[in-house]
Amino acid sequence: MTSLRLKPATRTQLQRAAKLHRREQRTRHGQFLVEGPQSVREVLAFAPEVVRDLYVSEGAFESYPEIRELAAGTGVWTHSIDDDELRDLSGDAQGFVVVADVPVQKGAAELLAEAPLAIAAVGASDPGNVGSIVRSADAAGASAVLLTKGCAEVTAPKVVRSTVGSLFHVPAATNLNLE
């Protein structure tokens, strides 16, 4: 069994991570939050290269030992934090929050050249709907999601939560012109 790379979380780290709920901070730092056990499990399994830090509440690994194994196997920095600190970081975390780097986005032409099936959304501004579109595209076996200008930001916390990890299976091209 591989051991976890444990490191105490600093107050600065927690404050900076909490600021990633705001779009300007996500853009500035090129990072976003992944919240909840299912999404964290998926990012660790399918996109561990984007994971910067994993924050875990006390006892969370007892409920989800497979996430502990994934964290240990991928060698991500893991920070055990108390329930109050986790609540300050995210009200929807259910014990787990990852700070991830925004992956390099492929262009629409490149995605379409590689995709036998792609799903496009025009003006889907509701974050929950964009997450559902990504999740449905994944379930349908699509190889790409195309989002026009006016769609909710794919790294917004509500979008990421509503994809329930599908965001790490299906690449998305965003901010596209409809033409």
Side-chain angles (χ1 to χ4, degrees), residues 4 6-7 9 14 40 44 53-64 67-68 71 76-83 85-87 89 93-98:
L4 286 171
L6 291 171
K7 187 176 184 182
L14 292 171
V40 167
L44 288 171
D53 292 287
L54 169 62
Y55 297 94
V56 182
S57 69
E58 299 163 359
F61 279 143
E62 292 172 17
S63 299
Y64 299 94
I67 296 176
R68 184 189 194 291
V76 301
W77 284 111
T78 303
H79 312 279
S80 181
I81 58 178
D82 66 37
D83 291 336
E85 289 173 318
L86 187 70
R87 200 171 14 264
L89 189 55
Q94 300 173 29
F96 299 94
V97 175
V98 159

PDB file of all heavy atoms in Angstrom, residues 4 6-7 9 14 40 44 53-64 67-68 71 76-83 85-87 89 93-98:
ATOM      1  N   LEU A   4       0.165   8.115   1.750  1.00  0.00           N
ATOM      2  CA  LEU A   4      -0.271   9.455   1.340  1.00  0.00           C
ATOM      3  C   LEU A   4       0.863  10.457   1.495  1.00  0.00           C
ATOM      4  O   LEU A   4       1.691  10.328   2.392  1.00  0.00           O
ATOM      5  CB  LEU A   4      -1.431   9.927   2.224  1.00  0.00           C
ATOM      6  CG  LEU A   4      -2.780   9.283   1.987  1.00  0.00           C
ATOM      7  CD1 LEU A   4      -3.752   9.704   3.088  1.00  0.00           C
ATOM      8  CD2 LEU A   4      -3.342   9.672   0.637  1.00  0.00           C
ATOM      9  N   LEU A   6       1.197  13.517   2.942  1.00  0.00           N
ATOM     10  CA  LEU A   6       0.488  14.394   3.869  1.00  0.00           C
ATOM     11  C   LEU A   6       1.290  15.650   4.161  1.00  0.00           C
ATOM     12  O   LEU A   6       2.510  15.588   4.316  1.00  0.00           O
ATOM     13  CB  LEU A   6       0.196  13.664   5.178  1.00  0.00           C
ATOM     14  CG  LEU A   6      -0.837  12.551   5.098  1.00  0.00           C
ATOM     15  CD1 LEU A   6      -0.867  11.766   6.399  1.00  0.00           C
ATOM     16  CD2 LEU A   6      -2.208  13.117   4.794  1.00  0.00           C
ATOM     17  N   LYS A   7       0.574  16.741   4.256  1.00  0.00           N
ATOM     18  CA  LYS A   7       1.202  18.021   4.564  1.00  0.00           C
ATOM     19  C   LYS A   7       0.131  18.889   5.224  1.00  0.00           C
ATOM     20  O   LYS A   7      -0.997  18.936   4.743  1.00  0.00           O
ATOM     21  CB  LYS A   7       1.681  18.663   3.256  1.00  0.00           C
ATOM     22  CG  LYS A   7       2.492  19.910   3.403  1.00  0.00           C
ATOM     23  CD  LYS A   7       2.958  20.358   2.012  1.00  0.00           C
ATOM     24  CE  LYS A   7       3.853  21.561   2.118  1.00  0.00           C
ATOM     25  NZ  LYS A   7       4.274  22.018   0.776  1.00  0.00           N
ATOM     26  N   ALA A   9      -2.209  21.895   5.964  1.00  0.00           N
ATOM     27  CA  ALA A   9      -2.705  23.014   5.153  1.00  0.00           C
ATOM     28  C   ALA A   9      -2.426  24.315   5.885  1.00  0.00           C
ATOM     29  O   ALA A   9      -2.654  24.420   7.089  1.00  0.00           O
ATOM     30  CB  ALA A   9      -4.195  22.870   4.904  1.00  0.00           C
ATOM     31  N   LEU A  14      -5.763  27.688   2.409  1.00  0.00           N
ATOM     32  CA  LEU A  14      -7.210  27.555   2.553  1.00  0.00           C
ATOM     33  C   LEU A  14      -7.936  28.813   2.082  1.00  0.00           C
ATOM     34  O   LEU A  14      -8.980  28.727   1.428  1.00  0.00           O
ATOM     35  CB  LEU A  14      -7.570  27.238   4.006  1.00  0.00           C
ATOM     36  CG  LEU A  14      -7.126  25.862   4.498  1.00  0.00           C
ATOM     37  CD1 LEU A  14      -7.341  25.729   5.995  1.00  0.00           C
ATOM     38  CD2 LEU A  14      -7.850  24.758   3.739  1.00  0.00           C
ATOM     39  N   VAL A  40     -14.279  14.098  -6.973  1.00  0.00           N
ATOM     40  CA  VAL A  40     -12.876  13.948  -6.559  1.00  0.00           C
ATOM     41  C   VAL A  40     -12.345  12.583  -6.991  1.00  0.00           C
ATOM     42  O   VAL A  40     -11.224  12.476  -7.496  1.00  0.00           O
ATOM     43  CB  VAL A  40     -12.716  14.188  -5.040  1.00  0.00           C
ATOM     44  CG1 VAL A  40     -11.348  13.732  -4.546  1.00  0.00           C
ATOM     45  CG2 VAL A  40     -12.947  15.660  -4.717  1.00  0.00           C
ATOM     46  N   LEU A  44      -9.155  12.208  -9.655  1.00  0.00           N
ATOM     47  CA  LEU A  44      -7.980  11.438  -9.263  1.00  0.00           C
ATOM     48  C   LEU A  44      -7.748  10.246 -10.190  1.00  0.00           C
ATOM     49  O   LEU A  44      -6.612   9.904 -10.498  1.00  0.00           O
ATOM     50  CB  LEU A  44      -8.109  10.956  -7.815  1.00  0.00           C
ATOM     51  CG  LEU A  44      -7.968  12.019  -6.732  1.00  0.00           C
ATOM     52  CD1 LEU A  44      -8.337  11.453  -5.367  1.00  0.00           C
ATOM     53  CD2 LEU A  44      -6.566  12.603  -6.715  1.00  0.00           C
ATOM     54  N   ASP A  53      -3.882  20.034  -5.009  1.00  0.00           N
ATOM     55  CA  ASP A  53      -4.013  19.700  -3.586  1.00  0.00           C
ATOM     56  C   ASP A  53      -5.353  19.027  -3.339  1.00  0.00           C
ATOM     57  O   ASP A  53      -6.352  19.376  -3.973  1.00  0.00           O
ATOM     58  CB  ASP A  53      -3.946  20.965  -2.718  1.00  0.00           C
ATOM     59  CG  ASP A  53      -2.574  21.613  -2.733  1.00  0.00           C
ATOM     60  OD1 ASP A  53      -1.662  21.046  -2.118  1.00  0.00           O
ATOM     61  OD2 ASP A  53      -2.430  22.684  -3.362  1.00  0.00           O
ATOM     62  N   LEU A  54      -5.358  18.103  -2.396  1.00  0.00           N
ATOM     63  CA  LEU A  54      -6.578  17.439  -1.952  1.00  0.00           C
ATOM     64  C   LEU A  54      -6.782  17.783  -0.486  1.00  0.00           C
ATOM     65  O   LEU A  54      -5.883  17.574   0.334  1.00  0.00           O
ATOM     66  CB  LEU A  54      -6.444  15.915  -2.116  1.00  0.00           C
ATOM     67  CG  LEU A  54      -7.511  15.038  -1.458  1.00  0.00           C
ATOM     68  CD1 LEU A  54      -8.891  15.321  -2.034  1.00  0.00           C
ATOM     69  CD2 LEU A  54      -7.143  13.565  -1.620  1.00  0.00           C
ATOM     70  N   TYR A  55      -7.952  18.334  -0.169  1.00  0.00           N
ATOM     71  CA  TYR A  55      -8.319  18.655   1.215  1.00  0.00           C
ATOM     72  C   TYR A  55      -9.381  17.654   1.654  1.00  0.00           C
ATOM     73  O   TYR A  55     -10.378  17.450   0.959  1.00  0.00           O
ATOM     74  CB  TYR A  55      -8.857  20.089   1.309  1.00  0.00           C
ATOM     75  CG  TYR A  55      -7.820  21.120   0.916  1.00  0.00           C
ATOM     76  CD1 TYR A  55      -7.752  21.597  -0.390  1.00  0.00           C
ATOM     77  CD2 TYR A  55      -6.904  21.584   1.839  1.00  0.00           C
ATOM     78  CE1 TYR A  55      -6.781  22.525  -0.761  1.00  0.00           C
ATOM     79  CE2 TYR A  55      -5.934  22.512   1.482  1.00  0.00           C
ATOM     80  CZ  TYR A  55      -5.884  22.975   0.184  1.00  0.00           C
ATOM     81  OH  TYR A  55      -4.919  23.883  -0.177  1.00  0.00           O
ATOM     82  N   VAL A  56      -9.146  17.046   2.808  1.00  0.00           N
ATOM     83  CA  VAL A  56     -10.008  15.980   3.298  1.00  0.00           C
ATOM     84  C   VAL A  56     -10.394  16.267   4.734  1.00  0.00           C
ATOM     85  O   VAL A  56      -9.538  16.580   5.562  1.00  0.00           O
ATOM     86  CB  VAL A  56      -9.268  14.619   3.235  1.00  0.00           C
ATOM     87  CG1 VAL A  56     -10.161  13.491   3.693  1.00  0.00           C
ATOM     88  CG2 VAL A  56      -8.739  14.354   1.847  1.00  0.00           C
ATOM     89  N   SER A  57     -11.687  16.132   5.034  1.00  0.00           N
ATOM     90  CA  SER A  57     -12.127  16.318   6.418  1.00  0.00           C
ATOM     91  C   SER A  57     -11.807  15.064   7.226  1.00  0.00           C
ATOM     92  O   SER A  57     -11.610  13.976   6.675  1.00  0.00           O
ATOM     93  CB  SER A  57     -13.624  16.625   6.479  1.00  0.00           C
ATOM     94  OG  SER A  57     -14.372  15.487   6.101  1.00  0.00           O
ATOM     95  N   GLU A  58     -11.784  15.256   8.529  1.00  0.00           N
ATOM     96  CA  GLU A  58     -11.496  14.150   9.437  1.00  0.00           C
ATOM     97  C   GLU A  58     -12.533  13.038   9.242  1.00  0.00           C
ATOM     98  O   GLU A  58     -13.727  13.282   9.222  1.00  0.00           O
ATOM     99  CB  GLU A  58     -11.523  14.660  10.875  1.00  0.00           C
ATOM    100  CG  GLU A  58     -10.482  15.737  11.128  1.00  0.00           C
ATOM    101  CD  GLU A  58     -10.741  16.541  12.398  1.00  0.00           C
ATOM    102  OE1 GLU A  58     -11.744  16.299  13.092  1.00  0.00           O
ATOM    103  OE2 GLU A  58      -9.924  17.424  12.670  1.00  0.00           O
ATOM    104  N   GLY A  59     -12.074  11.837   9.055  1.00  0.00           N
ATOM    105  CA  GLY A  59     -12.969  10.692   8.918  1.00  0.00           C
ATOM    106  C   GLY A  59     -13.489  10.438   7.518  1.00  0.00           C
ATOM    107  O   GLY A  59     -14.148   9.422   7.280  1.00  0.00           O
ATOM    108  N   ALA A  60     -13.224  11.322   6.562  1.00  0.00           N
ATOM    109  CA  ALA A  60     -13.772  11.148   5.212  1.00  0.00           C
ATOM    110  C   ALA A  60     -13.200   9.909   4.526  1.00  0.00           C
ATOM    111  O   ALA A  60     -13.913   9.214   3.796  1.00  0.00           O
ATOM    112  CB  ALA A  60     -13.520  12.390   4.369  1.00  0.00           C
ATOM    113  N   PHE A  61     -11.910   9.616   4.760  1.00  0.00           N
ATOM    114  CA  PHE A  61     -11.309   8.446   4.128  1.00  0.00           C
ATOM    115  C   PHE A  61     -11.914   7.147   4.651  1.00  0.00           C
ATOM    116  O   PHE A  61     -11.875   6.133   3.968  1.00  0.00           O
ATOM    117  CB  PHE A  61      -9.793   8.441   4.335  1.00  0.00           C
ATOM    118  CG  PHE A  61      -9.037   9.321   3.384  1.00  0.00           C
ATOM    119  CD1 PHE A  61      -7.930  10.020   3.827  1.00  0.00           C
ATOM    120  CD2 PHE A  61      -9.401   9.450   2.054  1.00  0.00           C
ATOM    121  CE1 PHE A  61      -7.199  10.828   2.964  1.00  0.00           C
ATOM    122  CE2 PHE A  61      -8.687  10.245   1.177  1.00  0.00           C
ATOM    123  CZ  PHE A  61      -7.581  10.939   1.630  1.00  0.00           C
ATOM    124  N   GLU A  62     -12.467   7.184   5.859  1.00  0.00           N
ATOM    125  CA  GLU A  62     -13.108   5.986   6.399  1.00  0.00           C
ATOM    126  C   GLU A  62     -14.341   5.629   5.585  1.00  0.00           C
ATOM    127  O   GLU A  62     -14.632   4.455   5.367  1.00  0.00           O
ATOM    128  CB  GLU A  62     -13.479   6.190   7.872  1.00  0.00           C
ATOM    129  CG  GLU A  62     -12.266   6.301   8.772  1.00  0.00           C
ATOM    130  CD  GLU A  62     -12.623   6.704  10.192  1.00  0.00           C
ATOM    131  OE1 GLU A  62     -13.804   6.588  10.586  1.00  0.00           O
ATOM    132  OE2 GLU A  62     -11.700   7.135  10.910  1.00  0.00           O
ATOM    133  N   SER A  63     -15.071   6.651   5.116  1.00  0.00           N
ATOM    134  CA  SER A  63     -16.264   6.413   4.306  1.00  0.00           C
ATOM    135  C   SER A  63     -15.925   6.095   2.859  1.00  0.00           C
ATOM    136  O   SER A  63     -16.693   5.433   2.168  1.00  0.00           O
ATOM    137  CB  SER A  63     -17.176   7.638   4.347  1.00  0.00           C
ATOM    138  OG  SER A  63     -17.591   7.905   5.659  1.00  0.00           O
ATOM    139  N   TYR A  64     -14.788   6.597   2.373  1.00  0.00           N
ATOM    140  CA  TYR A  64     -14.397   6.427   0.975  1.00  0.00           C
ATOM    141  C   TYR A  64     -12.928   5.979   0.884  1.00  0.00           C
ATOM    142  O   TYR A  64     -12.065   6.725   0.437  1.00  0.00           O
ATOM    143  CB  TYR A  64     -14.588   7.736   0.203  1.00  0.00           C
ATOM    144  CG  TYR A  64     -16.009   8.214   0.178  1.00  0.00           C
ATOM    145  CD1 TYR A  64     -16.484   9.125   1.123  1.00  0.00           C
ATOM    146  CD2 TYR A  64     -16.898   7.735  -0.781  1.00  0.00           C
ATOM    147  CE1 TYR A  64     -17.799   9.552   1.104  1.00  0.00           C
ATOM    148  CE2 TYR A  64     -18.221   8.155  -0.811  1.00  0.00           C
ATOM    149  CZ  TYR A  64     -18.661   9.071   0.140  1.00  0.00           C
ATOM    150  OH  TYR A  64     -19.971   9.481   0.113  1.00  0.00           O
ATOM    151  N   ILE A  67     -10.889   6.507  -2.366  1.00  0.00           N
ATOM    152  CA  ILE A  67     -10.325   7.820  -2.661  1.00  0.00           C
ATOM    153  C   ILE A  67      -8.952   7.941  -2.005  1.00  0.00           C
ATOM    154  O   ILE A  67      -8.017   8.499  -2.579  1.00  0.00           O
ATOM    155  CB  ILE A  67     -11.276   8.958  -2.232  1.00  0.00           C
ATOM    156  CG1 ILE A  67     -12.560   8.886  -3.061  1.00  0.00           C
ATOM    157  CG2 ILE A  67     -10.605  10.319  -2.393  1.00  0.00           C
ATOM    158  CD1 ILE A  67     -13.626   9.905  -2.678  1.00  0.00           C
ATOM    159  N   ARG A  68      -8.811   7.383  -0.820  1.00  0.00           N
ATOM    160  CA  ARG A  68      -7.499   7.376  -0.157  1.00  0.00           C
ATOM    161  C   ARG A  68      -6.484   6.627  -1.005  1.00  0.00           C
ATOM    162  O   ARG A  68      -5.361   7.080  -1.196  1.00  0.00           O
ATOM    163  CB  ARG A  68      -7.601   6.735   1.233  1.00  0.00           C
ATOM    164  CG  ARG A  68      -6.294   6.794   1.998  1.00  0.00           C
ATOM    165  CD  ARG A  68      -6.354   5.955   3.279  1.00  0.00           C
ATOM    166  NE  ARG A  68      -5.260   6.261   4.156  1.00  0.00           N
ATOM    167  CZ  ARG A  68      -3.987   5.961   3.929  1.00  0.00           C
ATOM    168  NH1 ARG A  68      -3.640   5.354   2.818  1.00  0.00           N
ATOM    169  NH2 ARG A  68      -3.048   6.281   4.796  1.00  0.00           N
ATOM    170  N   ALA A  71      -5.566   8.717  -4.016  1.00  0.00           N
ATOM    171  CA  ALA A  71      -4.698   9.832  -3.613  1.00  0.00           C
ATOM    172  C   ALA A  71      -3.280   9.337  -3.355  1.00  0.00           C
ATOM    173  O   ALA A  71      -2.307   9.958  -3.776  1.00  0.00           O
ATOM    174  CB  ALA A  71      -5.258  10.523  -2.379  1.00  0.00           C
ATOM    175  N   VAL A  76      -0.675  12.835  -4.911  1.00  0.00           N
ATOM    176  CA  VAL A  76      -1.087  14.230  -4.735  1.00  0.00           C
ATOM    177  C   VAL A  76      -0.885  14.661  -3.285  1.00  0.00           C
ATOM    178  O   VAL A  76      -0.946  13.844  -2.361  1.00  0.00           O
ATOM    179  CB  VAL A  76      -2.565  14.454  -5.149  1.00  0.00           C
ATOM    180  CG1 VAL A  76      -2.787  14.068  -6.595  1.00  0.00           C
ATOM    181  CG2 VAL A  76      -3.521  13.709  -4.242  1.00  0.00           C
ATOM    182  N   TRP A  77      -0.631  15.940  -3.088  1.00  0.00           N
ATOM    183  CA  TRP A  77      -0.517  16.465  -1.722  1.00  0.00           C
ATOM    184  C   TRP A  77      -1.891  16.422  -1.079  1.00  0.00           C
ATOM    185  O   TRP A  77      -2.871  16.893  -1.641  1.00  0.00           O
ATOM    186  CB  TRP A  77       0.021  17.892  -1.723  1.00  0.00           C
ATOM    187  CG  TRP A  77       1.487  17.934  -1.968  1.00  0.00           C
ATOM    188  CD1 TRP A  77       2.119  18.401  -3.075  1.00  0.00           C
ATOM    189  CD2 TRP A  77       2.508  17.477  -1.073  1.00  0.00           C
ATOM    190  NE1 TRP A  77       3.484  18.255  -2.932  1.00  0.00           N
ATOM    191  CE2 TRP A  77       3.746  17.695  -1.718  1.00  0.00           C
ATOM    192  CE3 TRP A  77       2.503  16.905   0.192  1.00  0.00           C
ATOM    193  CZ2 TRP A  77       4.972  17.356  -1.121  1.00  0.00           C
ATOM    194  CZ3 TRP A  77       3.715  16.564   0.778  1.00  0.00           C
ATOM    195  CH2 TRP A  77       4.928  16.799   0.123  1.00  0.00           C
ATOM    196  N   THR A  78      -1.957  15.831   0.083  1.00  0.00           N
ATOM    197  CA  THR A  78      -3.208  15.655   0.815  1.00  0.00           C
ATOM    198  C   THR A  78      -3.124  16.405   2.130  1.00  0.00           C
ATOM    199  O   THR A  78      -2.129  16.296   2.846  1.00  0.00           O
ATOM    200  CB  THR A  78      -3.468  14.151   1.064  1.00  0.00           C
ATOM    201  OG1 THR A  78      -3.472  13.484  -0.204  1.00  0.00           O
ATOM    202  CG2 THR A  78      -4.788  13.932   1.766  1.00  0.00           C
ATOM    203  N   HIS A  79      -4.175  17.159   2.414  1.00  0.00           N
ATOM    204  CA  HIS A  79      -4.233  17.973   3.622  1.00  0.00           C
ATOM    205  C   HIS A  79      -5.478  17.584   4.417  1.00  0.00           C
ATOM    206  O   HIS A  79      -6.589  17.747   3.921  1.00  0.00           O
ATOM    207  CB  HIS A  79      -4.304  19.461   3.274  1.00  0.00           C
ATOM    208  CG  HIS A  79      -3.290  19.887   2.259  1.00  0.00           C
ATOM    209  ND1 HIS A  79      -1.982  20.170   2.582  1.00  0.00           N
ATOM    210  CD2 HIS A  79      -3.397  20.070   0.921  1.00  0.00           C
ATOM    211  CE1 HIS A  79      -1.322  20.515   1.484  1.00  0.00           C
ATOM    212  NE2 HIS A  79      -2.158  20.453   0.465  1.00  0.00           N
ATOM    213  N   SER A  80      -5.268  17.085   5.625  1.00  0.00           N
ATOM    214  CA  SER A  80      -6.387  16.775   6.504  1.00  0.00           C
ATOM    215  C   SER A  80      -6.781  18.063   7.227  1.00  0.00           C
ATOM    216  O   SER A  80      -5.940  18.724   7.843  1.00  0.00           O
ATOM    217  CB  SER A  80      -5.977  15.697   7.515  1.00  0.00           C
ATOM    218  OG  SER A  80      -7.070  15.378   8.338  1.00  0.00           O
ATOM    219  N   ILE A  81      -8.044  18.427   7.112  1.00  0.00           N
ATOM    220  CA  ILE A  81      -8.527  19.652   7.753  1.00  0.00           C
ATOM    221  C   ILE A  81      -9.761  19.323   8.582  1.00  0.00           C
ATOM    222  O   ILE A  81     -10.428  18.313   8.342  1.00  0.00           O
ATOM    223  CB  ILE A  81      -8.834  20.763   6.716  1.00  0.00           C
ATOM    224  CG1 ILE A  81      -9.869  20.305   5.693  1.00  0.00           C
ATOM    225  CG2 ILE A  81      -7.553  21.192   6.013  1.00  0.00           C
ATOM    226  CD1 ILE A  81     -10.247  21.374   4.665  1.00  0.00           C
ATOM    227  N   ASP A  82     -10.042  20.167   9.548  1.00  0.00           N
ATOM    228  CA  ASP A  82     -11.204  19.898  10.394  1.00  0.00           C
ATOM    229  C   ASP A  82     -12.490  20.312   9.672  1.00  0.00           C
ATOM    230  O   ASP A  82     -12.461  20.975   8.635  1.00  0.00           O
ATOM    231  CB  ASP A  82     -11.073  20.540  11.773  1.00  0.00           C
ATOM    232  CG  ASP A  82     -11.068  22.051  11.759  1.00  0.00           C
ATOM    233  OD1 ASP A  82     -11.784  22.661  10.956  1.00  0.00           O
ATOM    234  OD2 ASP A  82     -10.334  22.635  12.585  1.00  0.00           O
ATOM    235  N   ASP A  83     -13.608  19.890  10.223  1.00  0.00           N
ATOM    236  CA  ASP A  83     -14.901  20.120   9.575  1.00  0.00           C
ATOM    237  C   ASP A  83     -15.213  21.600   9.382  1.00  0.00           C
ATOM    238  O   ASP A  83     -15.808  21.987   8.370  1.00  0.00           O
ATOM    239  CB  ASP A  83     -16.021  19.442  10.370  1.00  0.00           C
ATOM    240  CG  ASP A  83     -15.945  17.921  10.291  1.00  0.00           C
ATOM    241  OD1 ASP A  83     -15.359  17.400   9.313  1.00  0.00           O
ATOM    242  OD2 ASP A  83     -16.468  17.259  11.193  1.00  0.00           O
ATOM    243  N   GLU A  85     -13.021  24.045   8.912  1.00  0.00           N
ATOM    244  CA  GLU A  85     -12.197  24.536   7.798  1.00  0.00           C
ATOM    245  C   GLU A  85     -12.768  24.072   6.460  1.00  0.00           C
ATOM    246  O   GLU A  85     -12.809  24.840   5.495  1.00  0.00           O
ATOM    247  CB  GLU A  85     -10.752  24.042   7.942  1.00  0.00           C
ATOM    248  CG  GLU A  85      -9.995  24.696   9.075  1.00  0.00           C
ATOM    249  CD  GLU A  85      -8.644  24.068   9.309  1.00  0.00           C
ATOM    250  OE1 GLU A  85      -8.530  22.819   9.271  1.00  0.00           O
ATOM    251  OE2 GLU A  85      -7.682  24.822   9.542  1.00  0.00           O
ATOM    252  N   LEU A  86     -13.248  22.842   6.414  1.00  0.00           N
ATOM    253  CA  LEU A  86     -13.839  22.336   5.181  1.00  0.00           C
ATOM    254  C   LEU A  86     -15.123  23.096   4.848  1.00  0.00           C
ATOM    255  O   LEU A  86     -15.363  23.445   3.695  1.00  0.00           O
ATOM    256  CB  LEU A  86     -14.119  20.840   5.271  1.00  0.00           C
ATOM    257  CG  LEU A  86     -14.582  20.230   3.953  1.00  0.00           C
ATOM    258  CD1 LEU A  86     -13.440  20.181   2.947  1.00  0.00           C
ATOM    259  CD2 LEU A  86     -15.154  18.857   4.160  1.00  0.00           C
ATOM    260  N   ARG A  87     -15.922  23.383   5.852  1.00  0.00           N
ATOM    261  CA  ARG A  87     -17.167  24.136   5.642  1.00  0.00           C
ATOM    262  C   ARG A  87     -16.862  25.536   5.129  1.00  0.00           C
ATOM    263  O   ARG A  87     -17.573  26.064   4.285  1.00  0.00           O
ATOM    264  CB  ARG A  87     -17.977  24.179   6.940  1.00  0.00           C
ATOM    265  CG  ARG A  87     -19.429  24.485   6.756  1.00  0.00           C
ATOM    266  CD  ARG A  87     -20.273  24.322   8.027  1.00  0.00           C
ATOM    267  NE  ARG A  87     -19.574  24.197   9.288  1.00  0.00           N
ATOM    268  CZ  ARG A  87     -19.285  23.032   9.892  1.00  0.00           C
ATOM    269  NH1 ARG A  87     -19.622  21.897   9.339  1.00  0.00           N
ATOM    270  NH2 ARG A  87     -18.657  23.011  11.051  1.00  0.00           N
ATOM    271  N   LEU A  89     -14.304  26.256   3.303  1.00  0.00           N
ATOM    272  CA  LEU A  89     -13.808  26.044   1.951  1.00  0.00           C
ATOM    273  C   LEU A  89     -14.949  25.732   0.981  1.00  0.00           C
ATOM    274  O   LEU A  89     -14.977  26.224  -0.140  1.00  0.00           O
ATOM    275  CB  LEU A  89     -12.792  24.909   1.950  1.00  0.00           C
ATOM    276  CG  LEU A  89     -11.993  24.630   0.704  1.00  0.00           C
ATOM    277  CD1 LEU A  89     -11.253  25.867   0.228  1.00  0.00           C
ATOM    278  CD2 LEU A  89     -10.998  23.506   0.977  1.00  0.00           C
ATOM    279  N   ALA A  93     -18.904  20.011  -0.092  1.00  0.00           N
ATOM    280  CA  ALA A  93     -17.763  19.125  -0.305  1.00  0.00           C
ATOM    281  C   ALA A  93     -17.996  17.680   0.124  1.00  0.00           C
ATOM    282  O   ALA A  93     -17.356  16.784  -0.403  1.00  0.00           O
ATOM    283  CB  ALA A  93     -16.544  19.669   0.430  1.00  0.00           C
ATOM    284  N   GLN A  94     -18.844  17.436   1.079  1.00  0.00           N
ATOM    285  CA  GLN A  94     -19.079  16.097   1.609  1.00  0.00           C
ATOM    286  C   GLN A  94     -17.762  15.398   1.966  1.00  0.00           C
ATOM    287  O   GLN A  94     -17.571  14.214   1.732  1.00  0.00           O
ATOM    288  CB  GLN A  94     -19.865  15.250   0.618  1.00  0.00           C
ATOM    289  CG  GLN A  94     -21.225  15.815   0.277  1.00  0.00           C
ATOM    290  CD  GLN A  94     -21.877  15.032  -0.840  1.00  0.00           C
ATOM    291  OE1 GLN A  94     -21.632  13.842  -1.004  1.00  0.00           O
ATOM    292  NE2 GLN A  94     -22.711  15.696  -1.609  1.00  0.00           N
ATOM    293  N   GLY A  95     -16.819  16.179   2.509  1.00  0.00           N
ATOM    294  CA  GLY A  95     -15.570  15.610   2.997  1.00  0.00           C
ATOM    295  C   GLY A  95     -14.368  15.785   2.097  1.00  0.00           C
ATOM    296  O   GLY A  95     -13.244  15.559   2.536  1.00  0.00           O
ATOM    297  N   PHE A  96     -14.559  16.177   0.831  1.00  0.00           N
ATOM    298  CA  PHE A  96     -13.443  16.237  -0.117  1.00  0.00           C
ATOM    299  C   PHE A  96     -13.495  17.468  -1.006  1.00  0.00           C
ATOM    300  O   PHE A  96     -14.536  17.775  -1.583  1.00  0.00           O
ATOM    301  CB  PHE A  96     -13.458  15.007  -1.042  1.00  0.00           C
ATOM    302  CG  PHE A  96     -13.305  13.705  -0.332  1.00  0.00           C
ATOM    303  CD1 PHE A  96     -14.424  12.978   0.058  1.00  0.00           C
ATOM    304  CD2 PHE A  96     -12.054  13.190  -0.052  1.00  0.00           C
ATOM    305  CE1 PHE A  96     -14.293  11.767   0.704  1.00  0.00           C
ATOM    306  CE2 PHE A  96     -11.917  11.973   0.598  1.00  0.00           C
ATOM    307  CZ  PHE A  96     -13.033  11.263   0.983  1.00  0.00           C
ATOM    308  N   VAL A  97     -12.355  18.148  -1.143  1.00  0.00           N
ATOM    309  CA  VAL A  97     -12.198  19.253  -2.090  1.00  0.00           C
ATOM    310  C   VAL A  97     -10.819  19.128  -2.733  1.00  0.00           C
ATOM    311  O   VAL A  97      -9.831  18.905  -2.044  1.00  0.00           O
ATOM    312  CB  VAL A  97     -12.311  20.632  -1.408  1.00  0.00           C
ATOM    313  CG1 VAL A  97     -12.017  21.759  -2.399  1.00  0.00           C
ATOM    314  CG2 VAL A  97     -13.679  20.836  -0.786  1.00  0.00           C
ATOM    315  N   VAL A  98     -10.778  19.280  -4.042  1.00  0.00           N
ATOM    316  CA  VAL A  98      -9.521  19.312  -4.784  1.00  0.00           C
ATOM    317  C   VAL A  98      -9.353  20.694  -5.381  1.00  0.00           C
ATOM    318  O   VAL A  98     -10.319  21.279  -5.885  1.00  0.00           O
ATOM    319  CB  VAL A  98      -9.513  18.248  -5.909  1.00  0.00           C
ATOM    320  CG1 VAL A  98      -8.502  18.574  -7.005  1.00  0.00           C
ATOM    321  CG2 VAL A  98      -9.232  16.867  -5.342  1.00  0.00           C
TER     322      VAL A  98
END
